[in-house]
Amino acid sequence: MISLLVITGLQGSVEARRRRIKRSSDRYYRSELTVPNGGGWGSWGQREMCPAGTYAAGFSLRVEDPVGREDDTALNGIRLHCIESKASSDSYHSYSTGQSDVFSWGRWTDIKWCPSGFLTAFQLRVERSQGDGDDTAANNILFRCSQGTLQGDGTNWGDWGTWSLTCEGKGICGLKTRIEVPQGRDDDTSLNDVIMYCCD
C-alpha cells in the first residue's frame, strides 16, 4: 500500500513537471493585442505562451451551454493550438497547446483551424452588466487568420466589439485571461477579458 502511494506520487510529480515544461510564460513577444469591450470582473491570470518556434493556427473554447433559469457563465476558457512556423495545414495533427486559466463549467468545443497561416487579430462578444439579472461577460471570440476568419462556438448573448489591432510579427503566440472565480451563491461570469501576444 505504501509503495503504491509512493509510485502514484512520483507519477503525479513527473506529469506535473511535463505539464510545466509545456506551459511557458517566458517566451519573448513583440506586441500585445487587446479589445476595449472586455468585462471587468475577476483578476488576470498568468500569461501562457506557445512553445518557442510555434504560433497559434487554431483554437478551441470551453463553453457552458445555456442552462435556463440557473446561473449561466458562457465562455469559460480559450485554448490556442500551436504549430511550427513552417508547418502546412496537413500537419495540424502535430501541435502543442497554450491555454488560459479555465473553470470547469461547460465542455471543450472542436478545434477550428486557419485555412493557412496563423491567428493575427481577434474580437470578443461580451454581454454588458445585467444589473440584478444574470451576467455572463465574455460569450464568444472571433479570430482573423492570415487568410480568412474563424468564429468560435460560443454563446450568443451580448455584442461583438471592435477588432483588436493586427499582430506585429508572424502571429499570435500566447494569451492571458481575466477570470472571475466562482462566487458561491452569487452570480458567476467566469471568463471576462483576454490579451493576446504576438511573436516574430
Side-chain angles (χ1 to χ4, degrees):
M1 179 73 166
I2 291 173
S3 62
L4 180 60
L5 289 172
V6 170
I7 290 169
T8 305
L10 286 174
Q11 181 183 6
S13 67
V14 169
E15 286 174 6
R17 249 190 318 233
R18 266 193 228 128
R19 190 170 204 179
R20 255 183 258 126
I21 291 168
K22 288 183 180 177
R23 292 176 66 121
S24 167
S25 60
D26 298 332
R27 182 175 176 184
Y28 171 79
Y29 62 91
R30 181 170 179 173
S31 60
E32 297 180 5
L33 305 180
T34 60
V35 289
N37 65 322
W41 292 292
S43 56
W44 289 100
Q46 291 187 339
R47 186 173 66 240
E48 292 295 336
M49 305 297 283
C50 296
T54 68
Y55 304 85
F59 73 99
S60 52
L61 305 177
R62 189 170 185 107
V63 178
E64 181 187 41
D65 292 324
V67 291
R69 294 183 177 181
E70 296 179 37
D71 182 12
D72 291 298
T73 59
L75 190 54
N76 276 256
I78 302 170
R79 186 178 281 164
L80 298 178
H81 299 280
C82 313
I83 63 170
E84 292 182 4
S85 63
K86 295 180 181 175
S88 64
S89 57
D90 0 337
S91 64
Y92 286 166
H93 64 277
S94 175
Y95 60 87
S96 56
T97 60
Q99 77 179 28
S100 67
D101 288 354
V102 175
F103 278 104
S104 58
W105 295 299
R107 58 171 172 75
W108 284 104
T109 61
D110 292 336
I111 301 173
K112 296 202 171 191
W113 293 103
C114 288
S116 67
F118 305 104
L119 306 176
T120 60
F122 76 102
Q123 276 183 309
L124 269 186
R125 183 173 199 151
V126 178
E127 181 183 46
R128 292 181 190 165
S129 172
Q130 300 298 293
D132 290 337
D134 180 24
D135 294 301
T136 58
N139 275 254
N140 205 353
I141 195 164
L142 176 65
F143 282 100
R144 183 178 294 140
C145 297
S146 306
Q147 294 180 355
T149 58
L150 293 174
Q151 182 173 317
D153 294 322
T155 52
N156 295 320
W157 293 301
D159 301 303
W160 290 104
T162 57
W163 282 101
S164 70
L165 296 175
T166 299
C167 271
E168 293 176 22
K170 191 176 288 270
I172 290 173
C173 59
L175 77 169
K176 178 166 74 172
T177 52
R178 184 174 193 153
I179 296 275
E180 182 184 45
V181 298
Q183 300 296 296
R185 292 185 173 194
D186 292 332
D187 187 21
D188 295 301
T189 60
S190 197
L191 200 147
N192 272 254
D193 200 357
V194 61
I195 297 171
M196 297 288 173
Y197 298 95
C198 300
C199 297
D200 285 326

